[in-house]
Structures are given as structure tokens and as C-alpha cells.
Amino acid sequence: MTEQATRRTPGTPCWVSLMVHGLAATKQFYGGLFGWEYVPGPGQLGPYVRARLDGREVAGIGQLPPDRHLPTAWTTYLATDDADSTAELIRSCGGTVAVGPLDADDAGRVAICSDPLGAVFGIWQAAAHIGTRLTGVPGTPVWNELITRETSTVSKFYQVVFGHAAQAVVSADFDYLTLYAAGQPVCGLHGVGGALPHDRGAHWMTYFEVEDPDEAAACAAELGGHVVRSAHEGAGGRLATLADPEGAVFTVIRSDL
């Protein structure tokens, strides 16, 4: 198991969070699936909790206002040393800043953004809260991947805004780029062409480590979620794509990394 360092290289995924309509039920689902426990977090945008494993923070879940009838989805946050300047760069490169930048108590400074193809992500300038503090054990985020129509255009956006380097997976029928920060692989861009879901569009996918994806899929269904894609072997290990009771999609993987 690994406790993350106090500073994240800009462009590194550092946190994942989920805004839902039923906070209590969602806490129960992920607690049952991953063994999460919860503590209160910053409350500027409404009720919000941080999920913990072994006393260390791994993810966040917040309550949407009753009048916001929005679909639920996990949001990947990318680290920045200056949220305001990064937000300006996002705008100048064709992206959108929908919320912020704003202070989250003394935890840090945050903005919710989207890239030029509409995929939503967050930026996080850490202060007291550095983001995910634990990796390498079941129930923790292990990878983040942008599912988009094609990678060549949108990769330039992330490279300019966050300074990523990109390396292609060489395959005649697989459009995939790995993004690197400070020489380390930090996330992936997966171009799926016409297979992009019409009801979701481009989106970031969070992968959570589990011991057994088959068992995790069965557990998710028992807890009121459903299986989007059954467990199968992938390039990084055995994985399954699941949805929680409100429809937020995520992937579980027994990582071979």
C-alpha cells in the first residue's frame, strides 16, 4: 500500500468525486462495495463527505441540490499549482470553466471544467487537502482514462494546459495515448470513434482497484447497482464496468500494473 506524497506534479490525477441526488444511499452502496468509511468535507456546495480506507482519504461524494436534475458521474481532478492560471489556459485552449475557481475552505482551490470535446474534469490546487492519500489497495483509484471520439485533437489540449507528454499505443485498431507527467504515466486517452455512448458523450472514467472483479460485479448488483460490462481480461488486468444505483459508471480492475 502507498500513501501519496504531499505535492502532486501538475496534470496528475489527484482526486475523484461524485455528486449524487441521494447521499445516504450512495454512501451505503460504496461502503458495501469498497469498505469505505466517511468523514465530513467542505460544505460550500452542499453536504459533502470524504471516503476513507485505513483512515486515509480516497474519494469524495457530495449531495446535489434538490432542484438540480443532473445525471451523476465520477469526476477526475487534475493537480495544478495555480487553479486560476490553469482555468484561464483552459479557456484560451477551447475548453470551458463551468464552476470556479473557488476556495474549498482551507482544503484548496477548485474549478470544474470541460475539454473542447465536452469531457468534464476538475482542477485542484491543494492546500490542507492534497487529494487521494492511499493507493495500491482494494477500494482505491488506480487509473483514470478519458473516453473520447478520437485522441489526436484532444490530446493537444491536455498537453498544452498541463504539460503532458503523450505516447501512443501502436495498434492498427486501437486509438490510445498514455499521458505522462514528470516522466511517469498518469492517465490515458482512449478514442472509441462511433462507439462513444450517445447518452454520455466524451467522459473521464475512474478505475478502482479490487481483488476480484467478478465478485465486485456481483456485489454491486446485490447492492442495487448494475453491470455495464461483465468481467473480462484487458491490457491492464481483469476488469468490469459497473454503475451505481444512480447510474454513475466506473470500472473495477485487478491491476497487473
Side-chain angles (χ1 to χ4, degrees):
M1 97 181 37
T2 302
E3 182 164 0
Q4 294 283 9
T6 56
R7 181 188 177 275
R8 307 295 167 78
T9 303
T12 301
C14 60
W15 187 242
V16 293
S17 74
L18 176 65
M19 299 298 292
V20 299
H21 302 282
L23 181 56
T26 301
K27 287 167 58 180
Q28 185 174 12
F29 172 83
Y30 288 101
L33 184 62
F34 294 140
W36 289 351
E37 298 177 340
Y38 304 95
V39 295
Q44 286 98 328
L45 301 180
Y48 187 86
V49 296
R50 292 177 181 157
R52 285 183 170 184
L53 281 172
D54 296 328
R56 285 168 282 186
E57 296 163 353
V58 297
I61 306 174
Q63 175 87 44
L64 287 165
D67 59 345
R68 299 295 297 276
H69 302 292
L70 300 173
T72 60
W74 280 98
T75 299
T76 297
Y77 289 76
L78 303 177
T80 176
D81 289 336
D82 187 330
D84 294 85
S85 63
T86 299
E88 286 302 315
L89 190 53
I90 287 168
R91 293 188 184 98
S92 69
C93 291
T96 300
V97 179
V99 178
L102 53 84
D103 290 327
D105 292 342
D106 63 348
R109 194 157 174 80
V110 63
I112 304 299
C113 313
S114 60
D115 67 29
L117 297 184
V120 175
F121 63 95
I123 56 175
W124 181 253
Q125 178 185 335
H129 173 60
I130 65 167
T132 302
R133 297 191 65 96
L134 182 68
T135 61
V137 299
T140 62
V142 67
W143 188 244
N144 290 269
E145 184 176 278
L146 174 64
I147 312 299
T148 189
R149 188 168 298 280
E150 54 85 22
T151 64
S152 61
T153 301
V154 76
S155 67
K156 297 173 183 176
F157 168 83
Y158 289 97
Q159 290 177 76
V160 171
V161 172
F162 295 104
H164 289 132
Q167 181 176 329
V169 173
V170 180
S171 174
D173 58 354
F174 195 58
D175 179 13
Y176 197 97
L177 292 176
T178 302
L179 298 185
Y180 291 76
Q184 298 298 314
V186 293
C187 54
L189 308 183
H190 188 186
V192 298
L196 189 68
H198 295 294
D199 59 341
R200 299 190 65 202
H203 61 278
W204 280 88
M205 174 72 76
T206 300
Y207 287 66
F208 293 99
E209 180 83 28
V210 294
E211 292 183 354
D212 187 327
D214 298 79
E215 289 186 3
C219 180
E222 291 174 0
L223 291 167
H226 68 274
V227 178
V228 177
R229 186 178 182 189
S230 299
H232 59 282
E233 297 297 330
R238 189 163 180 80
L239 68 160
T241 303
L242 312 176
D244 67 23
E246 291 199 17
V249 177
F250 59 98
T251 296
V252 294
I253 184 168
R254 185 185 64 231
S255 175
D256 295 334
L257 297 177

